[in-house]
Amino acid sequence: MGAPTIHYKDGTTEDFYDKFIECLKENKEFKLENATVEGVVSIADIYDKIKDDEKLKDLIEEKEDGIYVKINFIITIKNIEFNDKFIMKGAFLTNYIYKNYVALFKYIRIVFNGNVEFYNVLFKKEANFKDAIFDGSVDFRSSEFNGEADFENTLFNKYLESNSGYVGSYYTDFSGVVFKNSCNFNNAIFYGSTDFSCSTHINDNLKQTKFQQEASFSKVKFFGEVEFNAVFGKKEDGGTFKNVNFKDAEFHNKTSFNYSEFNIRVFFEECNFNGETYFQNMEFKSIVSFDKTHFNEHVEYGFTKLEFRELASFKETEFNDGVNFTSIEFNDVIFENTKFKNVVFDSVEFRKGTKFDNVKFQEGVGIFNSKFHGKMYFEHCKFKGIIICENKSLYISNNETPKNIFYEDVNFSTCTFEKEVYFIGSIFKGKANFLDTTFNGYVDFKEVMFNELNCYGLTFKSCADFRDIYFVLLAVIDCVFEDLALFRKGKFKSKKDKIEFINNKIGFKKFQKNNNISLKNQIND
């Protein structure tokens, strides 16, 4: 295989390796602009050319896990086309002993000690940076990968690992990059700030980073700020089995996916978000999973103006500080074994049935100006803070009167409410079923409009206020009222109202009724 050749626009040519090795010898910047490179570029070839050179052999460090080739100069590559493979990890046949076994191959890894820039570079075939170490800043802005792009186990801005005081001086920038084939960042570590967003550092049109096939960031660690303003998959990929994988990734600083577009399935499973987190002004067009992920900082504006077109799963997800879901559209969502500290749903639309199964609400819950179009299930949930379901909006201002509307059945089964519960002015157009549930604090259903309210096996340990409610059917059966119970029917046009109070246990002289509500088989203490 011949050496790769540089073809300049003026018709001249140059051996790529000769130019590169000359820079190694003179310790000067490797600068290459406005040209085409024909032939495979390989770190294994560079190693072969310098391993016996007296001036350069100090750049080679042999360790148990491989051979490291250190590049000590700045690399600036702009407006270049690599028409063949670009391989920064090599291997050669050997029989040396490693960790008590015979290793057939010994790997060659590259260490970039200076800043590296690949600006507006086209990699037409495979680009392999697997196991590479970038000590300084890394810049791939506006580049394009037509073949597979492999950054598995790559370390970015590694200098900051032991020199965190210089965090502002080191960064990794993939803004405006297009990945036309699969890309792999599994187990990579980003020590500095990281940008996968629009290319904002140049004076041309903004370009989003594009991952046009599958992308994997499994077990990646981001220690600096990271921004994704990216398109994942193609619009025609909807319904395919292509994935974006962030499983077990760690985000230790501010993280933003604002204005991103996910056309294929995305898995944020078992992730840790330890800083500010933002998913704003974007849509998930396929399945998204946040299962077993921990959000450890307050996500006040984190989930804002989002559309989930298919299933959104939050199984065993933990929001260990507050979280607000604002102007969200869920087409199908699951909250199962989820933990919330404080949570607000403001101007949220639930298009299909929604299930909250064994969810723990550690503190307050707010539901404002939200619409529930499918059946709602709250099963085995524990509400430890105050619950407010009210016709207002904390963040949205428009000319419409804010309302909470439940269009189909709502079921609260085997739940526990530790503190006050307010459903003031909400509208239930389907059945509202409360089954085997305990209210330890004050309960306020004032001015709520029910089509059918069924209360079976409930325990009210504090005051229960049902004054001025609207209903067609009200059934209170096998319930226990340990404190004051207030019932007064509001004005309602229907003449077919039906009321049933059967086998309830009511505290002595603590039951107040109006509008000729009849009681059957009640037990008074």
Side-chain angles (χ1 to χ4, degrees):
M1 184 182 299
T5 304
I6 304 169
H7 295 263
Y8 295 102
K9 289 188 176 181
D10 62 4
T12 60
T13 61
E14 186 177 9
D15 187 293
F16 183 92
Y17 291 147
D18 287 346
K19 180 179 178 68
F20 194 87
I21 292 171
E22 179 186 353
C23 293
L24 282 176
K25 289 179 177 179
E26 298 181 9
N27 195 25
K28 68 179 183 181
E29 178 182 3
F30 179 83
K31 193 169 185 178
L32 181 61
E33 297 183 6
N34 303 312
T36 300
V37 178
E38 300 287 350
V40 175
V41 177
S42 170
I43 187 61
D45 291 341
I46 295 173
Y47 166 76
D48 283 339
K49 289 180 177 294
I50 69 173
K51 65 182 180 180
D52 297 322
D53 191 304
E54 289 297 324
K55 286 186 177 181
L56 300 178
K57 64 182 182 181
D58 289 342
L59 299 177
I60 297 172
E61 184 178 3
E62 189 164 352
K63 298 181 180 180
E64 281 192 349
D65 61 341
I67 295 172
Y68 291 78
V69 178
K70 293 177 284 186
I71 309 302
N72 290 331
F73 50 71
I74 295 172
I75 294 178
T76 302
I77 299 178
K78 294 182 178 181
N79 305 314
I80 297 296
E81 290 185 10
F82 290 99
N83 289 332
D84 214 320
K85 295 180 180 180
F86 192 90
I87 309 297
M88 291 295 101
K89 182 176 181 177
F92 60 89
L93 195 63
T94 183
N95 289 313
Y96 83 108
I97 305 297
Y98 175 56
K99 293 186 178 180
N100 297 321
Y101 66 90
V102 177
L104 295 179
F105 292 94
K106 198 162 190 177
Y107 289 102
I108 303 169
R109 297 181 170 96
I110 192 166
V111 180
F112 298 96
N113 289 327
N115 294 339
V116 176
E117 181 178 9
F118 288 88
Y119 172 73
N120 195 33
V121 173
L122 174 60
F123 297 92
K124 287 191 173 181
K125 295 187 178 180
E126 176 188 355
N128 188 336
F129 290 88
K130 187 174 182 179
D131 293 310
I133 297 174
F134 294 91
D135 269 342
S137 293
V138 184
D139 188 347
F140 279 90
R141 282 177 298 140
S142 300
S143 291
E144 183 175 307
F145 295 84
N146 288 348
E148 294 181 2
D150 195 345
F151 291 88
E152 185 173 4
N153 299 319
T154 300
L155 305 181
F156 295 89
N157 320 131
K158 189 177 184 295
Y159 178 79
L160 295 176
E161 181 182 23
S162 54
N163 298 277
S164 58
Y166 295 90
V167 65
S169 303
Y170 293 85
Y171 63 88
T172 299
D173 195 340
F174 280 88
S175 60
V177 171
V178 176
F179 296 92
K180 288 193 170 181
N181 211 312
S182 61
C183 67
N184 179 7
F185 286 86
N186 291 347
N187 297 301
I189 298 179
F190 296 82
Y191 290 98
S193 62
T194 308
D195 192 348
F196 283 90
S197 67
C198 289
S199 182
T200 57
H201 305 287
I202 53 179
N203 295 322
D204 59 2
N205 295 328
L206 299 183
K207 298 179 181 178
Q208 281 185 301
T209 304
K210 295 181 180 179
F211 300 87
Q212 295 189 344
Q213 297 295 328
E214 294 190 311
S216 184
F217 295 85
S218 177
K219 297 184 179 179
V220 171
K221 295 179 175 64
F222 296 96
F223 288 98
E225 293 187 6
V226 57
E227 182 176 358
F228 283 87
N229 173 209
V231 177
F232 295 87
K234 302 175 185 178
K235 292 184 178 180
E236 58 268 27
D237 287 336
T240 67
F241 292 99
K242 295 178 180 178
N243 300 325
V244 180
N245 184 16
F246 283 91
K247 186 173 181 180
D248 207 19
E250 297 178 15
F251 302 85
H252 293 273
N253 211 310
K254 180 180 177 181
T255 302
S256 171
F257 284 87
N258 295 350
Y259 299 98
S260 290
E261 183 179 317
F262 289 89
N263 294 303
I264 56 179
R265 301 184 304 181
V266 56
F267 297 92
F268 288 98
E269 295 180 347
E270 300 181 54
C271 293
N272 277 285
F273 291 89
N274 296 322
E276 297 177 37
T277 304
Y278 297 93
F279 291 88
Q280 297 181 348
N281 299 287
M282 53 180 293
E283 59 182 330
F284 294 92
K285 294 183 179 179
S286 191
I287 294 170
V288 55
S289 173
F290 290 93
D291 293 351
K292 297 183 179 180
T293 284
H294 291 192
F295 294 88
N296 297 317
E297 286 287 328
H298 189 195
V299 193
E300 182 174 4
Y301 301 104
F303 291 91
T304 303
K305 295 183 179 179
L306 281 177
E307 182 179 354
F308 297 88
R309 290 195 180 180
E310 293 192 21
L311 175 66
S313 179
F314 293 87
K315 294 180 181 179
E316 298 184 48
T317 306
E318 293 188 17
F319 295 91
N320 294 316
D321 209 320
V323 57
N324 294 348
F325 294 91
T326 308
S327 294
I328 307 292
E329 184 173 319
F330 289 109
N331 274 288
D332 193 4
V333 60
I334 296 175
F335 295 95
E336 185 178 300
N337 297 311
T338 312
K339 292 182 181 179
F340 292 99
K341 186 177 182 182
N342 287 295
V343 59
V344 170
F345 295 95
D346 191 342
S347 303
V348 176
E349 288 216 27
F350 295 86
R351 288 289 179 184
K352 293 183 180 179
T354 303
K355 189 173 184 179
F356 291 80
D357 186 6
N358 197 36
V359 175
K360 293 180 174 59
F361 300 91
Q362 302 295 104
E363 295 184 10
V365 178
I367 302 176
F368 307 106
N369 191 37
S370 293
K371 308 294 186 291
F372 303 84
H373 294 273
K375 292 184 178 181
M376 300 291 296
Y377 296 88
F378 293 85
E379 298 180 353
H380 310 289
C381 294
K382 294 183 179 179
F383 299 84
K384 293 187 177 181
I386 297 173
I387 315 301
I388 300 176
C389 184
E390 194 171 353
N391 290 341
K392 66 178 183 180
S393 177
L394 300 180
Y395 301 99
I396 307 300
S397 59
N398 52 40
N399 296 326
E400 297 182 5
T401 301
K403 293 180 181 178
N404 286 318
I405 303 177
F406 299 84
Y407 289 93
E408 295 194 31
D409 295 354
V410 181
N411 300 278
F412 288 87
S413 176
T414 323
C415 295
T416 302
F417 295 86
E418 296 291 346
K419 294 187 177 181
E420 299 96 312
V421 178
Y422 299 89
F423 281 93
I424 301 171
S426 297
I427 300 172
F428 294 82
K429 292 191 173 185
K431 295 179 182 179
N433 302 313
F434 291 83
L435 313 172
D436 300 316
T437 290
T438 300
F439 296 89
N440 290 319
Y442 173 74
V443 181
D444 190 343
F445 284 98
K446 284 200 300 287
E447 300 180 359
V448 175
M449 182 178 291
F450 293 102
N451 178 39
E452 182 176 326
L453 173 59
N454 299 303
C455 301
Y456 295 93
L458 307 185
T459 299
F460 297 90
K461 292 183 178 289
S462 189
C463 177
D465 192 341
F466 291 83
R467 288 177 294 179
D468 298 319
I469 63 173
Y470 303 81
F471 58 85
V472 175
L473 171 64
L474 171 62
V476 182
I477 300 172
D478 295 327
C479 294
V480 176
F481 296 87
E482 297 184 3
D483 204 325
L484 186 64
L486 305 173
F487 285 82
R488 182 175 65 222
K489 187 176 183 300
K491 296 179 181 179
F492 198 80
K493 294 181 181 180
S494 173
K495 296 181 180 180
K496 299 180 181 180
D497 304 346
K498 184 178 180 181
I499 304 168
E500 294 180 349
F501 280 74
I502 303 173
N503 296 329
N504 300 298
K505 185 176 182 181
I506 304 171
F508 181 66
K509 293 183 179 180
K510 292 183 179 180
F511 185 82
Q512 298 182 9
K513 63 185 180 69
N514 205 338
N515 286 21
N516 298 319
I517 294 176
S518 63
L519 308 178
K520 299 179 182 179
N521 302 324
Q522 312 307 311
I523 302 173
N524 292 331
D525 288 341

